[in-house]
Structure formats: structure tokens, C-alpha cells
């Protein structure tokens, strides 16, 4: 390895080496850089695949412009162009740093006791600690280190003490396949007797540095450097800012300039536009018709690079929180393709372009992975409604699920929870006074399905579930009350008419309590299945799921349906005798994600042998629940649901996933980057559990979590269900709930859920 920048401390050098070694352990280096599979010609200007530009490296995880962020970008997306935002120091040195103020992305405020200064930046009074007030030597000798500047992203890697790097050293240390310099504030530096043009001249005279792209939002600056690069391979790119912002040298808005691309072509070979210039969204974050700027630019011979791609900032609801879907909208929409995308998470566009673009509706499945819905496509519509089920079928789900609940008049219906408050507008209905507390079912109070008749429930308004709403992440608000609830009978009729389905999954819980209250759940389910003809037909299989083994034993004696045992708590393993017991009544097991890859403060801490041992006993393993929202995933998955799916399938070998968003999982199975063996591209290699956690230094390490319990025979074995009794449900006043009890009478421990995002996500929006 070449020596680290002179301005870095000795600790910075050793840390950099350690980081690279750790990252190499997490992402295997392979020879393949992309797909060799033939596909339709790209609708880019050149006809080649779009570029991926890593803004500040992999700045979505590690500190922007740090050696670690750049290294991670090159490891996970080997073909990515590295983006450097150039700032000038007091002595005219060029550094890679995301802003001309140093206080937000470094520890400079803790190192120096200087008071913030106020300068005019493009006519706006701006206060902070500016690069122009510090020499390069002062920054290096005083150990000014880079830090994560987006507060919703983890700061756990800040202890790595990444030094600020010069432009020259960034290139020579990393030797990227492409190098992009973005000059954002030439006019500001000129006001302080510093010259970006002179700096670029000095860089171009350095034979060891190759600059592939130079961009700026200032027309005058780009015109001034045009003679420098006219005979070089470096491309000049004009960067558009907000449509109503004013470009200083022409005094025109960027919106006006976007309508005069012939003028832009006189000094630039390409343009950068915020993605909203191409696919605008309305005030409710829904896509509007695309603009013509890409096609117009291509007619002028200008390349188009789309910016402002972040996996961890809410984007249009049309993408269902799936960043791969967003990238595909810009590169594979059938009408045009941008020539490149600028992203904080380069792994995602790299996979989108190489593995998922141009698949087509009839693409062959490359992964033997069963996709099971969770309340239908409940990420897009209220769960267990006709619309959620229809969407799941359209999105390629294999198995459609119905969690059975019982109504007061004994009708089995499909609903994700027995508590109507969670899925309907019952609290705004005439039944709002039916709130009761039933410790045998749940903690706290609720309005339960068995307290209302089917005629009452079917007239309630469905409400979409938004499990990450505490982080202001809501699901499809335009359709938050769409659809209608279904009885089990109606659900089975819908499923049977869907020829693409492999089967249905009927989930049954709270059976012991319901049996004691006079509800014959198992008999009602058997009866509806029989009426629908599922006891005779074989086109679609029937799966019966329960966390109560007695329920499965009852079905085992009466049907040939596939029986699925649900482990309703996180586990660290299972005793051999317990697995043998499960085999007596089930052929598949549902476990939580944490039972496969345990988490520690939202980082993957390791991998259990749960999947391996269950599969060794010929038990299929399904894992729940997969959601697209980035706050539902460990940091290791880079805020990308597809990376998470790939790790569970490729890294743990699970048989099926249970998901709120079947479309994302079905698309994953068709990606062309699977089954390539040692030619698998880096961005399709499963995450190595613990690789990021080892980069967290001691002072940032969270307290060690207690190991997950093993699944024992006592957890699995249940007494036979008693006869159905006629008995009214008992209740206690609200607020007097005791701990819920499992069907065998043992108290249950509520599993904690670690949400992989720092609190107050809303703060990040202000940064963009």
C-alpha cells in the first residue's frame, strides 16, 4: 500500500490499513466487473450502460470523502467513478470535502476553539468554520478528522479517525477507475483570492492524476477552464441546481438554462440534473409524467447525469421504498436512460444496472426462493384487503397468506391481527366503546374481531399499516384506506382463480383462548377449505401455519396439508430433541430474521446455525418479516432491501421469505447476476455478518447483548386442544393487563426490536 497523505497522523495510517483489511473481509474480490449477458442496447447517449458515480465514496455508510468511504465504494461497486467535492484551504491546497464549511463533517469544532465566521456565499450570509481559514498543515497537524455529517446515519465509525485527504492523495491512494472533481463554489473562493482554475492547472500537470470529469454549477468557471481541457480526455459537466436558484454569472435561473441546452453545449459535454428535473414528484411524493430533458440533452449531444439519489431518504411512494426500483425508472423505462447516476450508496445502482435492468416480465427465475406474502402486499395497501391480495398476485407472490381471525358470529376472516384498532377505523366507528383488555391475547387494550359480527367488520374502513411511522415513513398514503376486508371463503375463491399462485398459507393463532370462548377455529378453517375444493385439488398447495403445535397436530390427523411451525420469538439455536419434536407435526419452520443473523445495535453481530440445523432435519426454513423501509434493516444491508434478501438467500440459504413487498423479492429471484459462481460481481455477494461491527471502535461499541435463548422441547410441546366450549370472553379494565401467556401456560418474554436508524430521522431532510 502507498503511504497515506502526509497531513494524516500515524494513527490515521494504521486505521486506514485496518479499515481496508476489514472491508476486504466483508466483500470478496472477484474478477467479474459486470455482466456479459447480451441485452438490448442502452438508451444512453453512447449506447453503453450508465455510469455509477459514488458521491464522496460510499458516503451513505462511512464519512463522506474518507479513505474508508472511497474504499468501500470500490469494493462493493468496482466500476464506480469516485466523486470528490473540491474545497480550497487557506494556502490554496485542494481537499476532498463535501462542503466549504468544515464543522458539519469533521471534528474541527472540538479541535480548534475558533469562533464561527460569517461569509456571503452566493449572496447568502453563511456562518461556520470555513476551509479558507485553515492551512492544510494546520488541519493535518491538529488531527482534524472526518465524521458522518448526516445525523440519521450511524456515527459509530467516527472513531476510525479518517484524516482529510487532498485531491492528489485521494487519487494516488485509491487509483479509481474514474475520478470526478466537483467545483461548487469557485466564485466564493475567488472573492478570497483563491483560484480553483490555478488549482486545476496544478493537478493536470501532475502526471500521476487523471481527471475524468469536472463539474460546476457556475457557467463562468466552466468557460474559464475549457481551454485547459479542450485537448484532454477530461469532460466538462454543467451542474444544475434548484430550478428557481440563480446561476451567478448569467443571472438566469437554472430552470431557464435547462431550456437552452444549445448554449450549455458550447462549453460542456454533459449536464448534472437533480432527479426531479427528469421525474418530478408532486407535494405528496407521487411521480408525475417525466420531463423531456434527457431526450433534449441527447439531441444536443450532451450526457445526462442524475443526482440526489439516497437509499435512506424517503423518495416517491411509487417505488414502495425500494431504491432499486427508483434507479430502474431512470435507466430502464423504455423511453430513455440517463448516462449516469450520482449516489451515496453505489452498490444499489451498480446492481440495478447490471443485474435487474432489461429483465422483462417473463425473465427466468434464478433463485429457488419461495415468496410468501405478509397480509398480502401490505406495504402498498391495507393488509388483508382485496387490493393488497390482488397487488401481491400481480407482483409475483408464490403463496398468498390469510391470518384467520374469528368474528362474533363465528365467521373466519382474513386479518393481520385480532385487534381491529391495528388495521381499521374502528375507533372512529360506533364500536369505539368496545375497548377491552385480554391478557391471554395481548398486552394493553383493543377492540377484538370476536366482539363484532362480520356484517359490522366488513363495513369498517381499512387502514394501512406503517410500522416505521415513528420515523415519519408512511406507506402509500393516497391509498391508506383502500380496499375491503375478506372472509376466508372469499379469500380462497380469489386465490383459486389466480393461476400464477403456488398455494395459500392459512395462519391460525390464539386458538386455545378462542376454543375456551366457544369458537371452533380449526373446524371453521377446515370447512371453508373443503367448500373451496382445496381438500381435493392439487393445483395449489395449502399451508397451515401456527405457533401452537397442538393446532398443527389437529390438522395433521385430518388433512395432507403442509404444516408450518412458527417460532414466535428470537432464538439463538434449537436442541436436537426439539427439532425432532417439530418434525412430528411440521415440515417447515418460520423464524425471525434475528434468529438467523443476530443484531447488536442494528449491526449484524454474527450468524446462527438455526437454518443449517433445521434444513439438515429436512425442514424448510421461512424467515419473516421482510420490509422495504430502510429503518427496518441492519446497517450492514446499506439501506437496500435487495441486499438484505440476497444475504439471507445467498448467505444463509433460506428456503423462503415472508414479505410486505412481494415485488421486490420476486424481482430478486430473476436477477441475472445469480448463478455466476466465481464470476459473481461484488455487488451481488452476500454481506459478511460482523464485518461492519468490527469497524466500530471501543468508545462507540454498544453494551454486549445477551445471547438469544435456545428453542427447547418445553417451548414446542403443547397439550391437545380442549373441546370447543360456549363461553363469553372475559376482560379486565383497561390498564390492568398482565404479561401474555403462551398456549402452554408459560409466560412469554416480549422480544425487543432494534430499529436500524438513529432517532429523529426528520433532521436529515433539512440537510438535503
Amino acid at each position: 500500500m502507498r503511504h497515506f497523505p502526509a497531513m494524516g497522523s500515524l494513527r490515521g495510517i494504521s486505521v486506514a490499513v485496518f479499515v481496508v483489511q476489514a472491508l476486504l473481509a466483508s466483500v470478496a474480490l472477484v474478477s467479474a466487473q459486470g455482466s456479459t449477458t447480451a441485452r438490448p442496447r442502452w438508451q444512453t447517449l453512447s449506447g453503453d450502460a450508465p455510469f455509477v458515480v459514488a458521491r464522496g465514496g460510499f458516503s451513505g455508510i462511512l464519512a463522506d470523502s474518507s479513505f474508508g468511504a472511497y474504499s468501500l465504494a470500490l469494493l462493493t461497486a468496482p466500476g464506480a467513478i469516485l466523486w470528490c467535492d473540491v474545497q480550497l484551504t487557506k494556502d490554496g491546497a485542494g481537499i476532498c470535502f463535501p462542503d466549504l464549511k468544515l464543522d458539519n463533517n469533521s471534528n474541527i469544532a472540538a479541535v480548534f476553539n475558533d469562533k464561527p465566521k460569517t461569509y456571503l456565499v452566493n449572496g447568502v450570509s453563511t456562518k461556520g468554520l470555513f476551509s479558507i481559514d485553515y492551512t492544510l498543515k494546520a488541519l493535518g497537524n491538529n488531527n482534524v478528522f472526518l465524521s458522518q455529517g448526516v445525523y440519521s446515519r450511524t456515527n459509530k465509525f467516527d472513531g476510525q479517525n479518517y484524516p482529510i485527504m487532498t485531491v492528489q492523495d485521494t487519487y494516488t491512494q485509491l487509483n479509481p477507475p474514474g475520478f470526478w472533481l466537483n467545483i461548487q463554489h469557485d466564485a466564493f473562493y475567488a472573492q478570497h483570492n483563491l483560484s480553483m482554475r490555478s488549482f486545476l492547472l496544478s493537478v493536470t500537470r501532475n502526471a500521476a492524476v487523471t481527471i475524468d470529469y469536472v463539474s460546476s454549477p457556475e457557467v463562468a468557471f466552466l468557460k474559464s477552464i475549457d481551454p485547459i481541457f479542450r485537448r484532454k480526455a477530461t469532460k466538462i459537466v454543467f451542474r444544475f441546481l434548484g430550478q428557481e436558484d440563480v446561476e451567478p454569472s448569467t443571472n438566469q435561473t437554472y430552470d431557464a438554462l435547462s431550456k437552452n441546452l444549445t448554449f450549455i453545449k458550447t462549453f460542456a459535454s454533459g449536464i448534472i440534473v437533480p432527479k426531479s428535473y427528469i421525474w418530478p414528484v408532486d407535494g405528496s411524493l407521487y411521480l408525475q409524467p417525466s420531463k423531456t430533458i434527457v431526450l433534449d440533452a441527447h439531441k444536443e449531444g450532451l450526457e445526462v447525469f442524475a443526482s440526489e439519489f439516497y437509499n435512506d431518504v424517503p423518495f416517491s411512494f411509487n417505488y414502495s421504498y425500494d431504491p432499486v426500483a427508483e434507479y430502474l425508472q431512470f435507466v430502464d423505462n423504455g423511453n430513455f436512460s440517463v448516462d449516469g447516476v450520482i449516489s451515496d450508496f453505489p452498490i444499489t445502482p451498480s446492481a440495478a444496472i447490471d443485474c435487474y435492468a432489461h429483465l422483462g416480465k417473463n425473465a427466468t427465475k434464478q433463485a429457488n426462493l419461495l415468496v410468501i406474502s405478509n397480509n398480502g402486499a401490505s406495504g402498498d395497501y391495507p393488509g388483508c384487503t382485496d387490493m393488497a391480495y390482488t397487488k401481491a398476485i400481480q407482483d409475483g407472490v408464490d403463496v398468498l397468506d390469510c391470518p384467520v381471525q374469528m368474528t362474533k358470529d363465528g365467521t373466519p376472516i382474513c386479518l393481520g391481527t385480532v385487534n381491529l384498532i391495528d388495521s381499521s377505523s374502528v375507533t372512529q366507528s360506533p364500536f369505539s366503546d368496545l375497548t377491552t383488555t385480554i391478557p391471554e391475547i395481548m398486552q394493553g387494550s383493543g377492540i377484538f374481531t370476536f366482539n363484532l359480527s362480520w356484517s359490522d367488520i366488513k363495513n369498517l374502513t381499512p387502514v394501512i399499516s406503517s410500522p416505521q411511522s415513528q420515523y415519519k415513513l408512511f406507506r402509500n398514503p393516497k391509498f391508506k384506506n383502500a380496499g375491503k376486508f375478506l372472509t376466508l371463503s372469499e379469500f380462497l375463491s380469489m386465490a383459486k382463480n389466480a393461476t400464477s399462485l403456488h398455494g395459500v398459507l392459512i395462519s391460525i393463532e390464539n386458538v386455545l383462548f378462542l376454543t375456551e370462548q366457544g369458537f371452533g377455529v380449526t373446524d371453521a378453517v377446515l370447512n371453508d377449505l373443503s367448500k373451496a375444493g382445496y381438500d381435493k385439488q392439487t393445483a395449489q398447495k395449502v399451508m397451515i401455519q401456527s405457533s401452537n403445535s397442538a393446532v398443527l397436530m389437529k390438522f395433521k390427523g385430518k388433512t395432507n396439508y403442509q404444516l408450518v411451525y412458527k417460532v414466535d420469538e428470537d432464538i439463538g439455536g434449537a436442541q436436537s430433541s426439539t427439532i425432532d419434536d417439530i418434525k412430528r407435526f411440521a415440515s417447515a419452520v418460520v423464524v425471525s430474521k434475528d434468529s438467523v443473523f443476530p443484531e447488536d445495535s442494528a449491526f449484524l453481530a454474527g450468524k446462527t446455525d438455526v437454518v443449517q440445523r433445521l434444513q439438515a432435519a429436512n425442514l424448510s426454513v421461512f424467515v419473516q418479516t421482510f420490509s422495504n423501509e430502510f429503518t427496518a434493516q441492519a446497517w450492514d444491508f446499506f439501506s437496500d432491501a435487495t441486499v438484505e434478501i440476497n444475504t439471507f438467500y445467498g448467505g444463509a440459504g433460506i428456503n423462503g421469505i415472508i414479505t410486505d413487498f412481494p415485488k421486490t423479492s420476486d424481482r430478486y429471484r430473476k436477477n441475472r447476476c445469480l448463478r455466476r459462481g466465481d464470476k459473481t460481481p461484488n455487488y451481488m455477494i452476500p454481506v459478511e455478518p460482523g464485518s461492519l461491527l468490527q469497524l466500530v471502535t471501543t468508545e462507540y461499541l454498544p453494551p454486549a447483548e445477551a445471547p438469544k435463548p435456545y428453542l427447547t422441547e418445553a417451548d414446542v410441546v403443547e397439550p391437545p386442544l380442549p373441546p370447543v366450549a360456549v363461553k363469553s370472553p372475559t376482560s379486565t379494565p383497561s390498564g390492568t393487563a398482565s404479561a401474555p401467556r403462551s398456549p402452554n401456560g408459560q409466560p412469554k418474554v416480549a422480544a425487543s426490536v432494534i430499529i436500524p436508524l438513529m432517532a429523529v430521522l426528520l433532521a436529515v431532510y433539512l440537510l438535503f
Side-chain angles (χ1 to χ4, degrees), residues 315-377:
F315 35 83
S316 172
F317 289 112
N318 296 76
Y319 304 128
S320 299
Y321 290 102
D322 182 349
V324 172
E326 182 182 35
Y327 286 110
L328 292 176
Q329 186 81 354
F330 285 81
V331 303
D332 186 24
N333 58 59
N335 296 316
F336 61 82
S337 171
V338 297
D339 300 279
V341 293
I342 301 166
S343 173
D344 290 15
F345 296 82
I347 189 174
T348 303
S350 297
I353 292 166
D354 186 23
C355 307
Y356 298 105
H358 304 148
L359 280 180
K361 294 182 178 179
N362 298 319
T364 303
K365 294 177 183 177
Q366 303 296 317
N368 186 21
L369 180 68
L370 197 69
V371 177
I372 305 169
S373 66
N374 181 54
N375 304 330

Side-chain angles (χ1 to χ4, degrees), residues 238 240 271-278 293 304-308:
F238 180 62
F240 285 82
I271 59 174
I272 298 173
V273 293
K275 60 188 181 183
S276 59
Y277 274 64
I278 302 170
I293 189 167
V304 181
F305 297 90
S307 65
E308 300 185 359

Side-chain angles (χ1 to χ4, degrees), residues 394-457:
Q394 292 172 347
D395 289 347
V397 74
D398 295 318
V399 178
L400 202 63
D401 76 305
C402 169
V404 170
Q405 312 298 339
M406 298 298 292
T407 67
K408 186 177 181 179
D409 51 347
T411 302
I413 64 172
C414 298
L415 206 61
T417 170
V418 69
N419 184 7
L420 288 165
I421 294 176
D422 296 333
S423 55
S424 76
S425 61
V426 68
T427 55
Q428 284 82 50
S429 76
F431 309 108
S432 60
D433 60 348
L434 295 181
T435 303
T436 59
T437 301
I438 305 177
E440 294 92 335
I441 290 182
M442 58 173 281
Q443 295 184 17
S445 58
I447 300 176
F448 301 98
T449 60
F450 46 75
N451 292 140
L452 279 72
S453 67
W454 167 237
S455 61
D456 296 329
I457 293 174

Side-chain angles (χ1 to χ4, degrees), residues 146-158:
L146 294 162
S147 60
Q148 179 56 260
V150 180
Y151 300 140
S152 66
R153 295 172 180 171
T154 181
N155 69 342
K156 298 298 185 183
F157 306 118
D158 287 353

